[in-house]
Amino acid sequence: MTAPTPTRTSRSFDLGDGLTLAVDEQGDAGGSGVLLLHGGAGPRSVAGLADALAEHAYVLTPTHPGFDGQPRPDWMDSVADLAEAYLDLLDTLDLRDVLVAGNSVGGWIAAEMALRDTQGRIGRLVVLNGVGIRADDPITDTSTLTPTEMGELAFYNPVYRLNPAVLTDEQRAGMIANQQTLAVYAGVDMYDPKLRRRLARVTVPVLVVWGEQDGIAPVGYGRAFADSFARGSFQLIPEAGHFPHIEQPAQTLTAIGKFVNGGRSS
C-alpha cells in the first residue's frame, strides 16, 4: 500500500526590514526538521524530494525572495543574506538539530548557514551538486547558454530536459526573471573565492551528493566541495546530472537516509 502524500500548506513569515519569506510546510511539525533549499531552477525542482522527505520529517521549502514572483527587498542581494534569513526563520520557529539540504546554489546557501549558525540550530548538511566554491575542476560558465544547452548539461536522461517549444510566454518570462534573480545573489561566476577555505570551520556532519554526469559542476568539483568540510563525506550518483534527486530519487534518498541514521557514505 502506497503511503499518502503529506499535506502541503503555505505560510508567509515577516522577518522585518521588508523581508517576507514564502514557505511550504509538509509532514509532522513535531518531527525532525528539514530545511530544503532550491537552486536556480526554482522551488519546483525540489518538490519531489520535499514530498519524499515529508513522509519521515517536517519539511520546510522556502521560495527564495525574487523567485517565482516573490518580492525581494533591494538590500537582499547575496547568498549570505539568504543564509541569514533562513537562520532567522529557524529562530522564529525555534527549530533545532535541523537537516539543511540544498541543491546547486541552495547547497551554497546551506554551507553559508552552517558558518553563521551561532545558535546551534543546524544538525547536519546535505549538499546536492552544490556551487559556491572555487576549485581546480571549475563549474561551467552558463551565462550565455540557451535553455536547450542548459538542459543538455544539467540532465543525463533526455526525458528530463526542458523543451522550450512547449513553454508559454508567461513561463519564459518567469524563467528569465528567476535567472536574473540568481545572478543578483550568486553573480556570473557562481562562487565566492574565499568560501572554500572557510568551510573547514563547519563542525556538523556534511554529506555531498553528486550526479556523476553533471555537465555544470563536474565530479572533481564535488569531491573538492566535500573535502573542504572537516566532517564531509561524498556520495556519487550514477546516471544523474545536476539534479540527482530528480533523475535518481531512490539512490539519493537512500544516501540521505544512511547519512541521517549515522552511516557514512564513501
Side-chain angles (χ1 to χ4, degrees):
M1 180 175 179
T2 303
T5 301
T7 302
R8 179 187 291 111
T9 59
S10 298
R11 274 204 285 172
S12 293
F13 295 86
D14 184 353
L15 299 183
D17 293 328
L19 175 59
T20 300
L21 290 180
V23 182
D24 282 350
E25 298 175 280
Q26 295 172 260
D28 181 3
S32 300
V34 175
L35 179 66
L36 183 57
L37 304 173
H38 67 80
R44 286 181 293 277
S45 65
V46 295
L49 180 59
D51 288 343
L53 292 173
E55 295 181 11
H56 309 282
Y58 169 52
V59 182
L60 300 165
T61 309
T63 299
H64 306 326
F67 278 81
D68 284 13
Q70 292 298 316
R72 178 185 63 84
D74 290 340
W75 59 263
M76 192 169 208
D77 58 8
S78 70
V79 170
D81 289 334
L82 288 169
E84 291 173 3
Y86 293 134
L87 286 170
D88 287 345
L89 175 65
L90 298 185
D91 286 344
T92 298
L93 294 171
D94 194 24
L95 295 177
R96 295 191 179 276
D97 199 29
V98 176
L99 170 68
V100 180
N103 171 235
S104 193
V105 75
W108 182 359
I109 299 167
E112 294 279 8
M113 287 180 68
L115 286 169
R116 291 166 168 76
D117 182 21
T118 60
Q119 302 299 316
R121 299 287 180 186
I122 299 172
R124 293 174 182 267
L125 295 185
V126 173
V127 175
L128 300 153
N129 286 73
V131 299
I133 66 168
R134 181 164 61 185
D136 293 337
D137 201 356
I139 60 176
T140 300
D141 179 3
T142 61
S143 60
T144 62
L145 298 183
T146 66
T148 298
E149 291 169 332
M150 279 286 291
E152 291 172 352
L153 292 178
F155 290 103
Y156 167 78
N157 189 335
V159 74
Y160 294 105
R161 297 172 187 167
L162 179 70
N163 179 4
V166 303
L167 296 177
T168 65
D169 290 343
E170 182 179 5
Q171 289 172 324
R172 289 192 186 92
M175 289 179 61
I176 291 171
N178 282 354
Q179 291 305 302
Q180 290 172 338
T181 299
L182 176 64
V184 169
Y185 288 130
V188 174
D189 294 331
M190 300 288 287
Y191 68 81
D192 176 344
K194 297 181 180 179
L195 177 62
R196 187 176 178 186
R197 179 180 59 82
R198 295 199 301 266
L199 293 182
R201 298 181 62 84
V202 174
T203 59
V204 299
V206 182
L207 173 65
V208 176
V209 177
W210 219 261
E212 187 174 14
Q213 282 75 34
D214 189 353
I216 296 173
V219 172
Y221 186 93
R223 291 192 183 278
F225 213 135
D227 291 344
S228 301
F229 294 102
R231 302 175 66 187
S233 56
F234 185 78
Q235 179 65 56
L236 197 63
I237 305 293
E239 299 186 359
H242 199 61
F243 304 92
H245 54 288
I246 294 177
E247 294 196 87
Q248 298 294 342
Q251 290 186 51
T252 302
L253 286 168
T254 296
I256 294 173
K258 179 180 178 182
F259 173 64
V260 170
N261 292 323
R264 188 173 180 85
S265 301
S266 58

